[in-house]
Structures are given as C-alpha cells and as structure tokens.
C-alpha cells in the first residue's frame, strides 16, 4: 500500500490553529473573570467542543481517508452543534446578570433558570439536528485533490440538511449573539462593555465562516484551515476580552490622585478629635459611634482630610454608603447578603461582595492595600455587620490578617456601633487599635491616642 503524500501546508496551518486553540482554552480556564463568573463554565465547555471539532478536522486533513472524514462528519459536526447550547445558555445569563438593558433586571445565581422561548427553540433545534445526523447520516464523503499532493476527503451534506444547519446558524446570530451585543452596547465604557460587544461579534463571525466554508465551499482545499484559524481566533478573542473583567482587579486599578487643593477645613476631623494639629492621616482609628449621634459627618470629614484614593467597605444601602455615594473619587466594596460572588454594583466604582465571606473580603483588601498601595486609605464601616454575620473569632482573625499585610502608614477609619456588642468582644477588638475615638451624645472625643 502506497501512502499518499501529506498536504503539508494545510496540515501545518491547521495544526498551528489547533495548538493555539488549546493554549487559549487553557488561558481562559485559568482566568478569574469575576464579572462573568456564572458563565465561565459554559464558555469553557462550548470552546472545548469547538476545539474537539478542530482536532477531528485536523485528523481528517492529516490521515486523508474516507474513514476519518466520516468520523469528522459524525463526531466533529456533533461537537460544533452542541457548542451552540452552552453559548446560548451563557448569553441568557449574561443578559440577566449585567445591568444596562430594558425591562430585565440582573439576577443572582449560576442557574440558567427559565430559558426564553427563542433560546429553548435553538436548544431543541440542536438536539434535532444531532439526532438526524447520527441516525440518518445525511451526507456522502467525496475526495478532492488537495493541490499539494494527496486527496482531501470531506463530507457533503444533503441539501435539506445544509438548509437546516444554515437556519440554525442564522438563529444563533440573530438571537443570542445580537442580544448580548445589544445589552453590552448599553453599558458605560469599560471592560464589561468591550467584552459584551466584541465577544458576540466573534461568535457570529465564526458561525458565518463555519457554515460558509464548511457547507457551501467544502471543495476548496484551504477552506478547512481557515475555519480552524477562525476557531483559534474565537478563543483568543475570548481570553483577551475577559482578562480585564476581574472586578476586584478593576476596582483597585491604579488611579491618579486628586490634584485639587485641600479645602480650608482639611484637618477639621483631627481638630475635633483634639489631636493638637496632628492629622489622622497615617493612623488606623477605631471609632465607636452612637447611630443617633450624626457620625456620618465624621466619615465625610475623614474622607476629605485623608484625600487621595479611598476605599469604602460598607453595607449596601447602609447610612455610610448612602452618605458617601455622591462623593467623587471613592471606590466601594458593598456587603450584600443576596450575592454569593463579587458582582458589579450600580456604579462603575462599586463591587458587591458576599456579606458573610470574610475570606473573599480579605482577598479584595489585599489587592488594594498591599505594600505598593501608597496614598490609599480605607473607611471600614462594616465591623459591626461582620461581627453579626461571622462572629467574634472570625472578625478578630480577619483584622489580625489585614493588619499583617498592610503598610505601617495606612490611613484607615474603622466604625463600630457603640453598645451593640458584649464588652469582652469590644475589648478584644480595641486591643488591635492604637488610636480609639468615641462619638456618643456627649460628642466626639479620643479615648486612646497613638504614640
């Protein structure tokens, strides 16, 4: 038996495309992409199926036999059809999770819940086409000279099956792709908008190339490697677009410090605390407050005095979050009992985090207050909330770990509700702070000063 000459250029190009697909798939799998955490599993599954299709296509080009063409037609095309399902599920979740569209609020959770009728129709069409393909094999295998020696065998589908595949691709572009694109275009500038507009465009382009070159121009020898490269480009686009969608990384991205001169009352809080002209900047202060004593003004004065970039950790919808909501230049980590992973808030500068997940909160703070976080300051208005949600030991351990990695000149204000916790708990927490103040009906005063 004489072995046919290998179509070296085609095999080389398609092999490169397959290698790149595997590389980008691994890169996508390793990304945190917290902004799109609910859809990551669906994207990985979908792209794994695309890579499987590409691998079988490469095998068909390499071995050049009718048997591998049949394998590609049955298993490879099944894989590419099934890839539409997780992509459709991902589009449903993205549209629900990300605010910015009309009439559909964001929902929490990783479940796809109830699919819309068009999404159900696409899923049913995929199932029907896979069943028909495997049960009735509506194709024939034909050989075509490759132009580089040897013969390339490709499946040629019955006209009615070709029409059905084309209709499915058109439906995928018209509904999931268009829906994600429209939702993304309504967002403000940022990584989320970029990902949600370019990702569906890459999906649509791949669908057009796969159908156009795979079904209507199958006899062109260079068509298969082009589609393989398109699959690699799809994975590359996704890996690139999602690299900037980690909410915590985005929240702590370097920002220029304000250049405006400080107001005349820039050290008003220090003066009210009786610090004899010494600024609160560079100190970690524990403020025990009476909720009826107007303590929000203390926080506003503190933010003005420390200047620079300030992160506010507070309960979503709480008094501090509301009091500082319109203050420019602040970034917010808002505790929310309704989320189980970081989610975008109503503003670009807000991230919602689980209320009872102190480990995640500590990870977030470590990003913003490591040794390189010069000029940053913190308002932690959730100490009492953390005690209620996590308990004394977990809160104490959280503070010990936090103070263990922050720089020694950190400016921070921690708020604790006066009289809301047992004396032993309060005494334990006080032991961690060198500067302590109280704001009760008698006024604002320092009870312990840092030396």
């Amino acid at each position: 038996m004489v072995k046919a000459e290998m179509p070296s250029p085609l095999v080389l190009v398609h092999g490169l495309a397959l290698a790149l697909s595997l590389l980008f798939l691994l890169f996508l799998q390793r990304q945190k992409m917290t902004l799109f955490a609910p859809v990551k599993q669906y994207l990985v599954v979908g792209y794994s199926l695309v890579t499987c299709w590409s691998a079988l296509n490469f095998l068909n080009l390499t071995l050049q036999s009718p048997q591998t063409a049949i394998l590609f037609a049955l298993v490879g095309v099944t894989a590419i059809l099934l890839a539409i399902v997780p992509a459709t599920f991902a589009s449903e979740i993205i549209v629900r999770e990300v605010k910015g569209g009309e009439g559909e609020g964001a929902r929490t959770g990783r479940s796809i819940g109830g699919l819309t009728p068009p999404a159900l129709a696409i899923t049913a069409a995929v199932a029907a086409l896979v069943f028909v393909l495997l049960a009735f094999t509506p194709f024939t295998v034909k050989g075509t000279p490759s132009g580089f020696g040897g013969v390339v065998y490709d499946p040629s589908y019955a006209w009615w099956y070709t029409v059905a595949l084309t209709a499915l691709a058109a439906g995928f572009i018209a509904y999931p792709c268009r829906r994600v694109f429209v939702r993304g275009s309504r967002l403000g500038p940022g990584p989320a908008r970029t990902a949600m507009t370019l990702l569906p465009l890459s999906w649509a382009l791949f669908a057009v190339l796969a159908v156009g070159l795979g079904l209507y121009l199958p006899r062109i020898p260079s068509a298969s490697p082009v589609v393989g490269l398109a699959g690699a480009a799809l994975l590359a686009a996704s890996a690139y677009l999602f690299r900037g969608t980690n909410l915590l990384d985005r929240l702590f991205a370097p920002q220029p410090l304000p250049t405006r001169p400080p107001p005349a009352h820039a050290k008003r809080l220090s003066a009210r605390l009786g610090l004899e002209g010494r600024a609160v900047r560079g100190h970690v202060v524990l403020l025990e407050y009476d909720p009826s004593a107007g303590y929000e003004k203390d926080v506003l004065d503190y933010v003005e005095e420390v200047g620079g970039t300030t992160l506010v950790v507070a309960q979503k919808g709480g008094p501090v979050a509301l009091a500082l909501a319109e203050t420019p230049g602040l970034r917010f980590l808002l505790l929310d009992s309704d989320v189980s992973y970081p989610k975008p808030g109503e503003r670009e500068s807000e991230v919602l985090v689980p209320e009872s997940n102190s480990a995640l909160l500590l990870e977030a703070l470590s990003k913003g207050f490591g040794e390189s976080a010069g000029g940053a300051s913190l308002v932690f208005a959730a100490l009492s909330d953390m005690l209620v949600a996590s308990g004394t030991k977990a809160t104490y351990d959280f503070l010990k770990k936090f103070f263990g990695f922050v720089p020694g000149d950190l400016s921070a204000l921690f708020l604790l509700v006066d009289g809301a916790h047992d004396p032993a708990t309060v005494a334990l927490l006080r032991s961690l702070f060198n500067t302590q103040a109280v704001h009760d009906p008698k006024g604002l005063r320092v009870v312990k000063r840092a030396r």
Side-chain angles (χ1 to χ4, degrees):
M1 179 177 178
V2 179
K3 186 177 180 181
E5 183 180 349
M6 300 282 287
S8 300
L10 299 184
V11 172
L12 186 63
V13 171
H14 206 110
L16 175 63
L18 178 59
L20 290 174
S21 295
L22 290 170
L23 178 64
F24 292 130
L25 179 63
L26 177 63
F27 184 64
L28 181 66
Q29 169 65 34
R30 293 174 61 87
Q31 291 201 46
K32 291 184 178 181
M33 50 188 274
T34 53
L35 182 56
F36 294 97
V39 304
K40 178 180 177 180
Q41 56 187 329
Y42 296 105
L43 293 178
V44 170
V45 170
Y47 293 161
S48 296
L49 290 168
V50 172
T51 304
C52 175
W53 165 85
S54 182
L56 289 171
N57 204 357
F58 173 70
L59 181 68
N60 184 39
L61 276 175
T62 303
L63 298 183
Q64 297 183 345
S65 71
Q67 291 75 22
T68 56
I70 294 174
L71 180 66
F72 168 69
L74 292 175
V75 181
V77 175
T78 295
I80 203 70
L81 284 172
L82 291 178
I84 294 175
V85 176
T88 301
F89 288 0
S91 72
E92 293 284 283
I93 297 174
I94 289 175
V95 169
R96 294 174 184 176
E97 290 283 337
V98 180
K99 295 179 176 66
E102 297 177 356
E104 291 178 288
R107 300 182 185 178
T108 60
R110 296 175 183 268
S111 172
I112 61 172
L115 293 174
T116 58
L120 284 172
I122 290 174
T123 303
V126 168
L129 287 174
V130 169
F131 172 77
V132 170
L133 175 65
L134 298 179
F136 301 102
T137 60
F139 62 87
T140 58
V141 172
K142 298 180 179 180
T144 303
S146 67
F148 301 98
V151 177
V152 175
Y153 293 92
D154 284 310
S156 178
Y157 294 91
W159 69 268
W160 55 270
Y161 197 75
T162 298
V163 171
L165 290 173
T166 304
L168 176 63
F172 176 67
I173 294 171
Y175 187 72
C177 296
R178 182 194 62 81
R179 200 166 178 233
V180 174
F181 178 84
V182 171
R183 177 58 57 90
S185 66
R186 293 170 180 164
L187 297 177
R193 178 175 180 174
T194 302
M196 289 182 61
T197 52
L198 296 185
L199 180 66
L201 290 178
S202 69
W203 288 356
L205 178 61
F206 178 76
V208 169
L209 290 176
V211 170
L213 298 180
L215 296 179
Y216 293 96
L217 299 173
R219 305 273 71 83
I220 298 179
S222 59
S224 182
V226 169
V227 182
L229 287 173
L234 170 67
L235 283 162
S238 300
Y240 176 79
L241 291 171
F242 285 120
R243 83 199 189 286
T245 57
N246 186 320
L247 281 179
L248 300 181
D249 290 341
R250 185 183 69 179
L251 187 70
F252 293 113
Q255 295 182 357
L257 297 179
T259 56
R260 64 182 184 278
H265 56 274
K267 293 187 178 181
R268 184 166 58 189
L269 182 62
S270 294
R272 291 172 59 207
L273 287 170
L275 293 180
E276 302 173 355
R278 293 186 300 167
V280 294
R281 186 167 182 80
H283 295 280
V284 177
V285 181
L286 174 66
L287 174 61
E288 299 175 46
Y289 66 92
D290 184 331
S292 64
Y295 70 97
E296 294 92 342
K297 186 175 185 301
D298 302 333
V299 181
L300 287 168
D301 288 347
Y302 178 83
V303 169
E304 284 191 346
E305 180 168 342
V306 296
T309 302
T310 300
L311 174 72
V312 179
V313 179
Q315 191 73 24
K316 179 187 176 184
V320 172
L322 294 176
L324 299 179
E326 303 303 324
T327 304
L330 301 184
R331 293 179 281 191
F332 294 84
L333 276 175
L334 300 179
L335 305 187
D336 189 346
S337 60
D338 293 330
V339 302
S340 56
Y341 55 89
K343 291 188 59 178
E346 295 180 358
R347 298 176 175 84
E348 186 75 14
S349 60
E350 294 178 357
V351 173
L352 306 181
V353 294
E355 182 180 49
S356 59
N357 193 334
S358 58
L360 182 70
L361 184 58
L362 188 67
E363 177 190 352
L365 294 177
S366 69
K367 290 180 179 292
F369 296 98
E371 292 294 336
S372 60
S377 57
L378 171 68
V379 171
F380 197 99
L383 202 52
S384 288
D385 299 294
M386 181 176 288
L387 282 169
V388 173
S390 302
T392 300
K393 184 180 185 304
T395 303
Y396 179 81
D397 291 342
F398 169 86
L399 292 174
K400 287 281 289 185
K401 292 176 181 177
F402 173 71
F403 292 137
F405 64 70
V406 297
D409 59 348
L410 172 70
S411 302
L413 178 66
F414 284 77
L415 302 176
L416 183 67
V417 179
D418 187 21
H421 310 287
D422 66 88
T425 295
V426 175
L428 183 64
L429 297 185
R430 284 175 179 168
S431 67
L432 298 173
F433 296 87
N434 290 325
T435 301
Q436 300 166 20
V438 173
H439 194 160
D440 55 21
K442 297 180 181 179
L444 177 67
R445 62 190 186 279
V446 169
V447 296
K448 181 180 179 182
R449 299 182 183 181
R451 295 181 178 180

